Amino acid sequence: MVTIGELYTNVKAILKKIDSDTYLFDAKCIMEHAFMTELPKLLISSATVASEDTVKRIKKMLDKRETGYPLQYILGEWEFYGLPMKVGEGVLIPRPDTETIIDTILEKYSERTKNAPQIADLCSGSGCIAITLKKYIPDSSVTAIEFSDDAIKYLRENAQLNGADIKIVKGDVLDERTARCFEKLDILVSNPPYLTGEEMDTLQTEVSFEPELALRGGDDGLDYYRKITPLWRNSIKSGGIILYEIGMGQENDVTAILQENGFENILYSRDTAGIIRIVSAEKKQED
Ligand code: GLN
């Protein structure tokens, strides 16, 4: 027999060995998930004996976590920009870094968010970008494009969960025919796969459980920027904007790709760690 208080102490001790920076938050998540109750309420009843069933459930979650399996997949849900997103195997876990893309649009391109903008999100994955944009720019028309059936399952679920009326398209963003279905976009946004071959060979254990399709960006990580930029430039209206999430240190290469394809007024935005995470630009006005 174990009390809720003892169980919480054990959970913290085990999680501390896995990640001493995040264990308090991780323990809170696991306790709340297992008991379906908020931690403060649980702690008030810390002398109560925990049911065997709950203890077993927690043990199972911890065993998984000890193999490096991501906490987000264990919980089945993660927060992005304050919104809940369902996640599981086959879909990239939304990262706080990616919130920079939303900040950038709302802060630096606020003019573009007026007058019912047309927005496309390429390689949408869980849909976190597309759904958040729709929530914060309600009169926008947002299309989320994703190739993987596994990811689309989550995308649909997340759109519904958040009541976001977005269009979901299964498509290959590297296929010219997909790009040709879009025209006069005000905003094109993408967090494409951008890890290099070397980074793919030395992935953190947690990340190795995530879909390779969402991570591998070719030898130098730049494949998608090289292909998407010329293919989709005609789908963006004159003066429209493009925003890419990038890996650390990719800004110069991505800037060059954008400039070669007729984009100007390049802007960088940094994530909370101070790393340039978003490169955005405007499509030159055509005369
Ligand atoms: N940010 C992810 C990572 O560091 C990579 C996501 C991506 O390739 N778009 O693991």
Side-chain angles (χ1 to χ4, degrees), residues 173-186:
V173 301
L174 304 183
D175 186 332
E176 196 185 341
R177 286 168 298 184
T178 314
R180 268 202 248 119
C181 299
F182 293 83
E183 53 175 13
K184 301 211 167 63
L185 290 170
D186 296 279

Side-chain angles (χ1 to χ4, degrees), residues 66-281:
E66 278 181 313
T67 67
Y69 197 74
L71 176 70
Q72 294 90 334
Y73 284 175
I74 292 173
L75 302 174
E77 193 174 301
W78 201 240
E79 209 179 88
F80 180 82
Y81 221 86
L83 300 173
M85 298 288 159
K86 297 283 177 194
V87 292
E89 279 180 39
V91 71
L92 189 79
I93 298 163
R95 311 282 206 266
D97 300 344
T98 304
E99 295 181 351
T100 316
I101 219 162
I102 311 288
D103 285 344
T104 304
I105 294 175
L106 300 181
E107 268 179 56
K108 306 205 176 136
Y109 296 104
S110 60
E111 270 311 304
R112 317 303 181 102
T113 63
K114 298 184 180 126
N115 305 323
Q118 298 281 329
I119 303 176
D121 172 28
L122 315 190
C123 311
S124 196
S126 64
C128 61
I129 298 174
I131 291 164
T132 308
L133 288 176
K134 179 66 190 170
K135 292 294 279 188
Y136 285 93
I137 313 171
D139 66 348
S140 60
S141 303
V142 181
T143 306
I145 304 151
E146 174 53 48
F147 185 67
S148 148
D149 287 322
D150 289 337
I152 285 189
K153 211 178 70 193
Y154 287 102
L155 216 171
R156 281 192 207 294
E157 206 180 333
N158 287 328
Q160 204 174 22
L161 176 69
N162 287 289
D165 182 16
I166 60 169
K167 196 169 160 202
I168 297 168
V169 171
K170 178 183 159 72
D172 180 359
V173 301
L174 304 183
D175 186 332
E176 196 185 341
R177 286 168 298 184
T178 314
R180 268 202 248 119
C181 299
F182 293 83
E183 53 175 13
K184 301 211 167 63
L185 290 170
D186 296 279
I187 301 173
L188 183 138
V189 59
S190 184
N191 172 18
Y194 56 65
L195 297 190
T196 65
E198 206 182 312
E199 284 167 332
M200 289 303 296
D201 291 339
T202 52
L203 282 183
Q204 192 195 335
T205 319
E206 277 78 1
V207 184
S208 68
F209 288 98
E210 294 187 84
E212 188 176 340
L213 182 68
L215 297 168
R216 188 184 285 280
D219 282 350
D220 64 359
L222 300 168
D223 279 9
Y224 282 77
Y225 308 108
R226 271 195 209 100
K227 290 176 185 162
I228 288 174
T229 315
L231 268 184
W232 283 80
R233 76 170 300 282
N234 292 333
S235 308
I236 302 172
K237 77 173 191 193
S238 201
I241 57 167
I242 187 166
L243 295 103
Y244 282 135
E245 178 173 323
I246 59 160
M248 191 163 83
Q250 291 176 333
E251 59 273 15
N252 291 340
D253 290 315
V254 173
T255 297
I257 294 168
L258 286 167
Q259 285 171 336
E260 278 158 26
N261 286 284
F263 288 91
E264 60 184 4
N265 300 331
I266 309 280
L267 207 88
Y268 298 143
S269 310
R270 293 173 191 270
D271 63 20
T272 49
I275 294 162
I276 294 179
R277 188 56 67 189
I278 310 301
V279 179
S280 51

Side-chain angles (χ1 to χ4, degrees), residues 27-45:
K28 176 180 184 289
C29 291
I30 289 210
M31 292 292 286
E32 291 186 343
H33 188 71
F35 285 94
M36 288 188 289
T37 308
E38 285 174 14
L39 189 63
K41 279 197 194 139
L42 279 174
L43 295 183
I44 288 171
S45 6

Side-chain angles (χ1 to χ4, degrees), residues 53-64:
D53 200 46
T54 313
V55 175
K56 257 194 213 151
R57 241 179 315 140
I58 290 190
K59 165 132 184 25
K60 228 168 132 185
M61 288 193 264
L62 292 175
D63 286 348
K64 263 197 155 172

